[in-house]
Amino acid sequence: MLRELFLGFIRVHILFHAGEAPVWGAALMEELARHGYRVGPGTLYPILHALERQGYLRHEPRAVEGRIRKYYRITPAGRRILARAQAQLRELVREALPARGRSR
Amino acid sequence: MLRELFLGFIRVHILFHAGEAPVWGAALMEELARHGYRVGPGTLYPILHALERQGYLRHEPRAVEGRIRKYYRITPAGRRILARAQAQLRELVREALPARGRSR
DNA sequence: TGAGTGATATCGGATGGCGATATTACGCCG
DNA sequence: CGGCGTAATATCGCCATCCGATATCACTCA
């Protein structure tokens, strides 16, 4: 139901988290689920691949407890895109969110 | 470049504006352009049709200065979806936006 | 009537979404 | 060592969406 509404939000989440600390796919899925986005692997992994192909993420495989994870972190280009998304977000909030919990 | 990031934002804009006052396609395109989203008619109109098909908008043709415009306004179901989007937006802001211009 | 104009509609190739299913790679245990 | 369990990631295939280009529509005015 209108998932296309949230796919952009999800990407912002991903870029942001990948900018804070390296993240891997499965952890992202849990994180997103905590935020109310139900995203399956068939959705998430292609998104990660696309973000990497576009140069916004880069991954590095790492062995953790005998498992191999691909840790993604943001690239400089990714930071630029994230900054633009955050600016748009700020504007969207200023315009389309009832002024609450905000000031100045 | 990563337009899929913004398509959700655009939909929030549309639903919000249609909740404030009746809007027609061409005016929305200008409005969105002012906010930095470059959206052509081949993108916007199918989105309006889809939102209407899903029951979030309803249109009413009206003659204005000899032209026919389709004024869209939000439906109750649209308001519910918008409220959910706004909630997600608030959460996204709280999480992924550097605390600035916000309090508590 | 026909040129002009604001507004909306459609077409079609490319791309993306996503549930279901498969694959990979390791530890563990007998 | 096999082969089972499991965490993590990958892929398949169908369907929906995207969107620039182009067409259509409806009305005014000369």
Side-chain angles (χ1 to χ4, degrees), chain A residues 1-2 4-5 8-9 11 13 16-17 31 35 37 56 86 88 91-93 95-97 101 103-104, chain B residues 1-2 4-5 8-9 11-13 16-17 31 35 37 56 86 88 91-93 95-97 101 103:
Chain A
M1 165 226 306
L2 212 33
E4 60 259 23
L5 221 158
F9 295 10
R11 285 176 160 86
H13 262 291
F16 178 77
H17 283 301
E31 168 74 12
H35 287 288
Y37 306 102
Y56 303 134
Q86 285 171 329
Q88 291 289 51
E91 194 165 333
L92 182 55
V93 164
E95 171 123 1
L97 225 54
S103 65
R104 189 151 349 283
Chain B
M1 164 225 307
L2 210 35
E4 59 260 22
L5 218 160
F9 294 10
R11 285 176 160 86
V12 176
H13 263 289
F16 178 77
H17 284 300
E31 167 74 12
H35 286 289
Y37 306 104
Y56 303 133
Q86 286 170 329
Q88 291 289 51
E91 194 165 332
L92 181 55
V93 164
E95 171 122 1
L97 225 55
S103 65

Side-chain angles (χ1 to χ4, degrees), chain B residues 9-11 18 21 23 29 42 56 58 69 71 92-94 102:
Chain B
F9 294 10
I10 287 172
R11 285 176 160 86
V23 283
M29 283 185 48
Y56 303 133
R58 200 178 315 273
R69 290 179 188 161
Y71 279 87
L92 181 55
V93 164
R94 194 169 42 238
R102 289 186 293 129

